[in-house]
Amino acid sequence: MPLVTALVAAPLLLLIAGLGVAISGRRRREGIGPGMAGDVAFTRLQRAHGNAIELSPMLVLGLLLLELLRGRSPVLIAFGVAIVVARIAHAAGIVQRPRHPLHFLGAALTYFLEIALAISLVLTALRRF
């Protein structure tokens, strides 16, 4: 049963939903219609939301596969915590301002996690042969 993956997916879903609600609220307040460009804050919210949607599913999928391959619990938990921290830091950094340190931290950690998860998946799968 993929309990670690479920506990990682839940905050990511809340992050995506929260960013979506923030975008809708900004649209209403500023009168920004579909397909219209908005202000800088609106654009940052859109990028944070889009990026979370683009990258979170693959990270969760990688974690799920590792968990289904019966990866070690400490490794799963470490990956899970790092995924949540990376995605929240990235979103917070984009929303704050351009080149915010959290944006860089979240992006760097996400790239690292993608590579580390891929390597871990291959090594774990090869051990199961």
Side-chain angles (χ1 to χ4, degrees), residues 75-91:
V75 172
L76 294 170
I77 292 167
F79 272 131
V81 169
I83 288 168
V84 172
V85 168
R87 299 318 309 149
I88 290 173
H90 187 268

Side-chain angles (χ1 to χ4, degrees), residues 92-117:
I94 287 179
V95 170
Q96 297 278 331
R97 62 177 165 81
R99 295 188 179 91
H100 192 281
L102 286 175
H103 179 189
F104 174 77
L105 171 69
L109 187 53
T110 297
Y111 296 140
F112 170 78
L113 286 166
E114 290 170 334
I115 293 165
L117 265 170

Side-chain angles (χ1 to χ4, degrees), residues 19-60:
L19 290 167
V21 168
I23 288 169
S24 295
R26 188 89 187 174
R27 273 190 192 282
R28 233 177 327 242
R29 264 191 319 279
E30 302 299 322
I32 302 166
M36 294 173 54
D39 58 16
V40 174
F42 177 77
T43 302
R44 285 198 297 258
L45 280 169
Q46 276 192 312
R47 275 312 316 135
H49 185 253
N51 194 278
I53 288 172
E54 292 164 8
L55 296 173
S56 296
M58 291 307 295
L59 291 167
V60 171

